[in-house]
Amino acid sequence: MPSKKKILILGGGFGGMHVLKELQKKIDVKNASITIVSEDNYFLYTPMLPEVASGMLNPRDITTAIRYFCVSAKFYQATVFSVDLEQKLVTITRKFDGKDHALEYDYLVLAVGSINNFFGNKAIEENSFTIKTVEDAIELRNQILLMMEIAAQTGSMGLQQKFLTFTVVGAGFAGVETIGEINHFVRKSVKQAYPSIVDTNINMILISSRNEILPELNKKLGESARAYLEKVGVRIITNVKAINAGESYVELSDGEIIPCTTLIWTGGVTTNSMIKSMNCEHSKDGKILVDKYLKLKEHSEVFALGDCAAIPDVDTGKFYPPTAQHALRESKIVAENIKKTLDGDSSLKEFSYHSKGMMATIGDKAGVASLMGHSISGVLAWVIWRTYYLLHLPTLETKIRIGISWAINLFFGTDLTRIGETKMKNLHKVEIDDTPSLKDQLLSDL
Ligand SMILES: Cc1cc2nc3c(=O)[nH]c(=O)nc-3n(C[C@H](O)[C@H](O)[C@H](O)COP(=O)(O)OP(=O)(O)OC[C@H]3O[C@@H](n4cnc5c(N)ncnc54)[C@H](O)[C@@H]3O)c2cc1C
């Protein structure tokens, strides 16, 4: 009996989770075993993170346990520490006791996404909120609520302004959707429940280093989003960068200093140090360079996709953009090519995809969308956004949860409860070892 091939997927986000789903449909468990490793034990539906930050949705609405998708696969909640391409060995650090373990593979899928890029600016990193994880969204919502509570208790207009100034740096999808959401949330909440706050003290600021916002969409839609946001009270500052920040200010490259206690950074992403340290070809920004079949040139058993992969677009000569939409399409090709390789079929499938549309929400019942060459803005774009994303949620349960949360928000006021910090139990001293650690394995080899 030939031994079962080991398929190892790293990352349980848009790329990894969809490769898992596709492989489980295509592959006979008698021939191969599948293992997925991810830092969190859930899949996160990132396009709806800004709605969690504003309290429109609950964190559970946009997360689904990875085990839910594991029909025949094994799941490890752990951090991938390193990948040894020569020995076909992945080192993972378990979440609950911090111990290292080694996993062998025959086929490897790299889908660990991206991390925030502060471009080495420590002051901004230390003094800003981000919107990449569900914890980020919870922290941001707590911060917004805290600022409103503090502002409501001061009679000083200067302090109220400082507490109620929210500055978002980065005017791509994440930044624009975040400012749109929190602008609506803060203004509505103040009107509804904070009579001591003077609404002219609310300042919403969006900083773009380019001369436009939403560069992912066309110029007309970027301008339309800008006009809408300015109409609802957002100040948009273009052609500047945030260069410094403290607890209560942000400094811009044109010399302006904005007094504010909430800075939200969406200024860029990069790959994590584990990906950068891998011994293979990388793009200039540190992503894993793959060929048109989404595999490494030097290691045909290793595939990469999503935000951590640099995938050449032969039509444009550029790399495909890092979006969930692309990661989903890439996952189908990766799964198909692994199946073909397992079957000994060398006619691998090429990845080629050109997006038929992009859209963003920009506030209360407002959106912008570019669909099959048509530019749509306003309520219709917002309805299309909601319908599209609702339909593409991974489970019926999340669809129902989100449908209910949206309905509640249509008929009732915003929820202003601020749930505090939680405590995590440390299990470092508890011996829960079941298999030899990597260090033990290596020492016994000496
Ligand atoms: C606020 C926001 C809004 C967005 N809106 C849109 C949108 O509207 N449309 C769109 O197409 N895209 C959108 N995106 C981009 C989209 O989320 C990403 O392009 C997409 O998630 C990339 O998929 P991925 O699988 O590469 O990474 P991810 O989905 O980020 O998944 C990476 C996975 O790897 C895990 N991981 C990371 N490091 C390790 C490690 N060392 N060890 C183990 N596991 C690890 C993570 O826990 C995660 O599960 C948005 C992103 C954000 C942040």
Side-chain angles (χ1 to χ4, degrees):
M1 277 279 285
S3 66
K4 269 191 187 186
K5 295 287 180 197
K6 296 187 187 87
I7 305 172
L8 181 56
I9 303 170
L10 307 182
F14 274 92
M17 206 271 291
H18 284 94
V19 170
L20 170 72
K21 281 172 89 176
E22 291 290 321
L23 280 175
Q24 286 181 143
K25 280 190 247 161
K26 288 181 195 298
I27 282 174
D28 188 339
V29 288
K30 283 192 226 108
N31 302 331
S33 68
I34 308 171
T35 301
I36 178 161
V37 179
S38 201
E39 262 179 338
D40 299 309
N41 84 336
Y42 53 80
F43 163 75
L44 174 64
Y45 200 74
T46 49
M48 289 181 179
L49 270 175
E51 291 193 52
V52 173
S54 74
M56 173 74 80
L57 297 176
N58 296 305
R60 288 261 330 268
D61 297 345
I62 65 163
T63 50
T64 309
I66 291 175
R67 284 185 189 276
Y68 178 92
F69 305 103
C70 293
V71 182
S72 55
K74 225 178 184 181
F75 170 63
Y76 287 99
Q77 184 179 8
T79 302
V80 177
F81 178 69
S82 66
V83 177
D84 186 333
L85 293 169
E86 308 308 322
Q87 294 197 48
K88 299 190 184 167
L89 206 64
V90 169
T91 313
I92 61 169
T93 309
R94 289 199 308 211
K95 241 343 200 212
F96 57 89
D97 60 1
K99 287 192 172 152
D100 291 343
H101 280 265
L103 299 173
E104 291 172 338
Y105 65 82
D106 295 297
Y107 298 99
L108 181 67
V109 178
L110 295 157
V112 291
S114 54
I115 56 166
N116 288 304
N117 190 357
F118 296 94
F119 302 96
N121 192 322
K122 284 278 167 228
I124 290 184
E125 184 170 354
E126 278 161 21
N127 291 292
S128 62
F129 291 82
T130 48
I131 180 102
K132 193 107 178 71
T133 64
V134 77
E135 290 85 358
D136 288 346
I138 296 169
E139 273 175 17
L140 180 55
R141 175 174 151 72
N142 278 346
Q143 164 74 4
I144 296 168
L145 288 166
L146 182 65
M147 291 305 102
M148 288 196 288
E149 293 300 341
I150 298 176
Q153 291 175 36
T154 174
S156 153
M157 293 299 106
L159 277 179
Q160 261 200 10
Q161 264 193 26
K162 199 181 262 192
F163 293 135
L164 295 173
T165 298
F166 298 88
T167 307
V168 174
V169 179
F173 274 115
V176 169
E177 290 190 336
T178 302
I179 196 83
E181 272 298 318
I182 64 173
N183 181 47
H184 174 57
F185 173 51
V186 171
R187 290 184 193 279
K188 189 176 169 191
S189 305
V190 164
K191 202 182 270 176
Q192 181 187 304
Y194 294 88
S196 60
I197 291 182
V198 179
D199 63 359
T200 50
N201 285 336
I202 302 171
N203 292 305
M204 295 285 165
I205 301 172
L206 179 67
I207 312 280
S208 173
S209 60
R210 301 175 180 228
N211 64 354
E212 58 182 348
I213 67 166
L214 284 177
E216 300 93 335
L217 292 171
N218 61 48
K219 209 172 164 54
K220 188 175 156 202
L221 284 174
E223 278 165 11
S224 155
R226 182 178 184 150
Y228 171 83
L229 286 170
E230 286 176 340
K231 197 176 89 193
V232 293
V234 177
R235 179 181 166 209
I236 297 176
I237 312 177
T238 49
N239 290 318
V240 287
K241 287 183 176 164
I243 55 165
N244 193 12
E247 274 186 359
S248 60
Y249 73 92
V250 187
E251 187 182 342
L252 305 183
S253 53
D254 62 0
E256 180 174 355
I257 293 180
I258 300 171
C260 90
T261 44
T262 311
L263 164 65
I264 303 151
W265 178 260
T266 69
V269 291
T270 182
T271 44
N272 66 32
S273 51
M274 185 275 291
I275 288 290
K276 282 182 181 157
S277 70
M278 281 180 63
N279 188 15
C280 60
E281 253 191 286
H282 290 82
S283 62
K284 265 193 209 142
D285 54 354
K287 293 180 179 184
I288 303 278
L289 193 62
V290 292
D291 60 21
K292 56 190 175 186
Y293 309 108
L294 307 185
K295 62 177 181 53
L296 270 65
K297 269 191 220 137
E298 320 86 351
H299 294 276
S300 58
E301 72 286 2
V302 181
F303 295 80
L305 74 160
D307 287 9
C308 72
I311 304 168
D313 178 346
V314 281
D315 295 332
T316 62
K318 295 181 182 166
F319 293 116
Y320 282 103
T323 73
Q325 205 182 114
H326 285 82
L328 268 165
R329 267 65 181 195
E330 289 152 21
S331 68
K332 290 191 185 344
I333 302 298
V334 167
E336 193 155 345
N337 285 343
I338 291 179
K339 164 81 174 134
K340 279 178 179 276
T341 318
L342 270 171
D343 293 346
D345 177 353
S346 59
S347 62
L348 298 190
K349 204 160 177 186
E350 290 178 17
F351 177 73
S352 171
Y353 171 68
H354 291 108
S355 168
K356 291 180 186 62
M358 296 286 254
M359 48 196 154
T361 53
I362 50 175
D364 184 28
K365 300 182 193 68
V368 281
S370 154
L371 292 174
M372 287 180 266
H374 300 286
S375 297
I376 307 162
S377 52
V379 185
L380 180 60
W382 176 80
V383 171
I384 296 171
W385 187 97
R386 281 203 157 183
T387 313
Y388 176 87
Y389 282 107
L390 192 66
L391 291 176
H392 284 79
L393 279 157
T395 65
L396 181 62
E397 186 192 330
T398 45
K399 286 179 189 152
I400 294 172
R401 276 179 188 281
I402 288 180
I404 292 173
S405 293
W406 281 344
I408 288 172
N409 271 283
L410 273 181
F411 297 109
F412 299 95
T414 49
D415 171 20
L416 300 172
T417 48
R418 180 177 182 272
I419 312 287
E421 294 77 24
T422 53
K423 189 173 171 184
M424 188 177 156
K425 194 162 180 199
N426 192 327
L427 294 179
H428 284 295
K429 295 208 174 77
V430 184
E431 197 49 61
I432 6 182
D433 215 359
D434 48 357
T435 51
S437 77
L438 178 64
K439 276 182 208 127
D440 294 341
Q441 284 177 36
L442 293 175
L443 284 174
S444 67
D445 285 348
L446 290 175

